[in-house]
């Protein structure tokens, strides 16, 4: 339940986010209008816009460049007088550091407006992402964004080093489960959804496969892992059913976010039901991590009680699982709600300026609330289901038997009468009875 136990979930979200960003840039980048480029600047270096002979399809690629020099920004007074928009233009010399254009230097025009979300402020020596558009006999180079990849990769390396150092052997197992989960999302969920399959049905399969991989990697092929998988799948199904009902009866379109509307513009052949299914799939994937966390915690508790108690009954094991589940129910529900709230802080600030009648019925706000509540509902139902299955499987088979029927010495209990007066433990011939 600690930070490191949930660390694979956070890194998985980060990796999937990076994959989605890269995919959206390569698949849905809009062509850049060459007419918008400012007039060439007199310089010994080639300008960003190079006229070439021949014509062909418009193609956009992204490469890394390094800023060599930056001129002083000049206010575009004509634009200010006519539209009221503030635009400070500066001339930037950038050298391409990778790809076929590596080593070439271009002079580009960089605009700094009064909207910071679209600005890329550069200084000499800084690395940036360059957009290279070719087609129609022209090539156009523009500064597209900051080069953030080295910082993200560095942070990821630090995280993995700390995770594996403190996690030890178990950390490597968790990392294997994480890689499997990311691969399922990147190479199964995303391609199948773009191909027209129902995202909700695909996400249910992803949740089942991801839960199985993570549990069996971490806990081995044991009854503890099997019970946790069953509890996770049950909780995910409850969350999915509740999400689908809310989406159908609210109704929620799945198009409340800007990203969803951009996706809709690039997928003209998809019906509205596709985007509502995509919304439900996102709710399931978002709730999967905390549901798995709760399920393995309860299953581990039942297993430990079975190891130490003498002849544990089904009632004892089920009660132990429920007691732990009740303790973690509030904290894990808070974790899920706070995760959604943290990603929607601008929306919450905007909500402070709206009437409550409009706010509660706003598609974007209702979507966030439905996501948090459906995931929390699945989490709550995971607790009794996992406790029930764990008590049945582990109590029925005995506390030393795995799925394969083998018994391990590590699951044997210690009897009090086996302890000598000095307090040192002396293994007995039969330690399976537990503490008496």
């Amino acid at each position: 339940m600690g930070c490191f136990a949930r660390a694979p979930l956070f890194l998985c979200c980060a990796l999937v986010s990076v994959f989605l960003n890269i995919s959206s840039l390569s698949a849905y980048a809009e062509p850049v209008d060459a007419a918008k480029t400012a007039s060439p600047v007199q310089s010994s270096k080639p300008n960003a816009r190079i006229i070439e002979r021949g014509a062909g399809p418009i193609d956009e690629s992204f490469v890394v460049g390094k800023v060599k020099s930056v001129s002083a920004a000049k206010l575009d007074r004509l634009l200010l007088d006519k539209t009221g928009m503030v635009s400070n233009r500066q001339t930037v010399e950038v050298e391409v550091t990778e790809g076929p254009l590596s080593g070439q230097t271009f002079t580009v025009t960089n605009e700094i407006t009064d909207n910071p979300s679209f600005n890329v402020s550069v200084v000499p020596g800084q690395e940036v992402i360059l957009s290279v558009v070719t087609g129609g006999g022209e090539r156009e180079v523009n500064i597209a964004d900051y080069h953030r990849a080295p910082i993200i990769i560095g942070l990821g390396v630090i995280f993995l080093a700390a995770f594996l150092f403190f996690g030890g052997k178990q950390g490597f197992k968790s990392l294997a489960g994480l890689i499997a989960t990311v691969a399922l999302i990147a190479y199964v969920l995303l391609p199948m959804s773009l191909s027209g399959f129902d995202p909700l049905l695909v996400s249910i399969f992803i949740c089942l496969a991801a839960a199985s991989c993570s549990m069996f990697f971490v806990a081995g092929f044991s009854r503890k892992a099997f019970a946790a998988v069953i509890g996770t799948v049950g909780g995910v199904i409850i969350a999915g059913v509740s999400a689908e009902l809310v989406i159908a009866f609210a109704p929620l379109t799945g198009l409340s976010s800007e990203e969803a509307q951009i996706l809709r513009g690039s997928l003209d052949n998809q019906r509205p039901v596709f985007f509502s299914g995509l919304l439900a799939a996102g709710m399931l994937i978002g709730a999967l991590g905390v549901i798995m966390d709760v399920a393995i915690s309860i299953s581990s508790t039942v297993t430990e009680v079975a190891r130490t108690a003498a002849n544990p009954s089904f009632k004892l094991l089920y009660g132990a699982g429920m007691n732990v589940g009740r303790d973690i129910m509030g904290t894990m529900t808070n974790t899920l709600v706070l995760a959604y709230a943290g990603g929607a802080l601008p929306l919450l600030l905007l909500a402070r300026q709206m009437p409550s009648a409009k706010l509660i019925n706003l598609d974007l706000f209702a979507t966030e609330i439905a996501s948090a509540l459906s995931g929390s509902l699945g989490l709550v139902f995971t607790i009794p289901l996992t406790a029930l299955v764990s008590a049945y499987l582990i109590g029925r088979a005995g506390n030393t038997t795995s799925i394969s029927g083998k018994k391990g010495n590590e699951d044997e209990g210690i009897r009090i009468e086996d302890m000598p007066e000095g307090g040192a433990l002396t293994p007995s011939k039969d330690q399976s009875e537990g503490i008496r």
Side-chain angles (χ1 to χ4, degrees), residues 364-379:
L364 183 59
F365 186 81
T367 297
E368 295 295 335
I369 297 298
S371 299
L373 291 182
S374 60
S376 299
L377 186 62
L379 185 150

Side-chain angles (χ1 to χ4, degrees), residues 288-314:
L288 177 61
V290 291
I291 290 177
M292 286 197 301
D293 201 351
V294 170
I296 193 63
S297 298
I298 294 175
S299 182
S300 297
T301 298
V302 173
T303 302
E304 293 303 317
V305 171
R307 287 178 178 178
T308 56
N311 300 320
S313 63
F314 173 86

Side-chain angles (χ1 to χ4, degrees), residues 3-5 7 11 154-172 175:
C3 175
F4 289 104
L11 184 58
L155 182 60
V157 170
I158 294 175
F159 166 78
L160 288 177
F163 182 72
L164 296 177
F165 177 77
F166 291 106
K169 182 179 179 181
Q170 201 72 2
F172 282 95
L175 182 60

Side-chain angles (χ1 to χ4, degrees), residues 8-197:
L9 169 65
F10 301 148
L11 184 58
C12 176
C13 294
L15 292 176
V16 172
S17 176
V18 172
F19 177 85
L20 289 173
N21 290 334
I22 295 175
S23 299
S24 62
L25 287 175
S26 60
Y28 306 117
E30 297 181 356
V32 180
D33 187 1
K36 296 181 181 179
T37 305
S39 58
V41 180
Q42 297 297 329
S43 173
S44 58
K45 306 297 182 181
N47 292 325
R49 187 178 179 185
I50 300 177
I51 305 300
E52 297 178 343
R53 297 185 179 276
I58 296 178
D59 178 66
E60 183 177 21
S61 60
F62 296 90
V63 295
V64 178
K66 188 173 183 179
V67 177
K68 301 187 67 176
S69 65
V70 182
S71 68
K74 295 182 179 180
L75 178 64
D76 189 341
R77 295 194 175 276
L78 180 61
L79 182 64
L80 179 63
D81 295 337
K82 290 188 175 182
T83 65
M85 297 178 58
V86 178
S87 176
N88 294 288
R89 295 188 174 186
Q90 54 185 189
T91 302
V92 181
E93 285 190 358
V94 289
E95 179 183 356
V96 180
T97 59
E98 64 177 14
L101 301 177
S102 179
Q104 296 190 34
T105 301
F106 297 93
T107 301
V108 302
T109 300
N110 186 38
E111 294 191 19
I112 306 297
T113 67
D114 53 355
N115 188 346
S117 61
F118 297 105
N119 295 339
V120 181
S121 301
V122 296
V123 294
Q126 181 180 2
E127 289 188 339
V128 293
I129 298 298
L130 300 176
S131 168
V132 181
V133 180
T134 57
E138 297 181 354
R139 176 188 297 155
E140 184 178 345
V141 180
N142 292 293
I143 297 177
D145 213 331
Y146 297 102
H147 188 210
R148 300 183 177 97
I151 302 299
I152 300 299
I153 294 175
L155 182 60
V157 170
I158 294 175
F159 166 78
L160 288 177
F163 182 72
L164 296 177
F165 177 77
F166 291 106
K169 182 179 179 181
Q170 201 72 2
F172 282 95
K173 294 180 180 179
S174 300
L175 182 60
L178 168 64
I179 294 175
T181 301
V182 174
L184 287 169
I185 294 175
Y187 299 108
V188 179
L189 175 61
L190 301 183
M192 292 186 68
S193 297
L194 290 175
S195 299
F197 290 90

Side-chain angles (χ1 to χ4, degrees), residues 412-428 431 435:
E412 297 179 357
I414 303 296
R415 298 184 300 182
I416 296 297
E417 53 266 36
D418 293 328
M419 298 180 63
E421 295 182 359
L425 292 176
T426 303
S428 64
Q431 298 174 336
I435 297 177

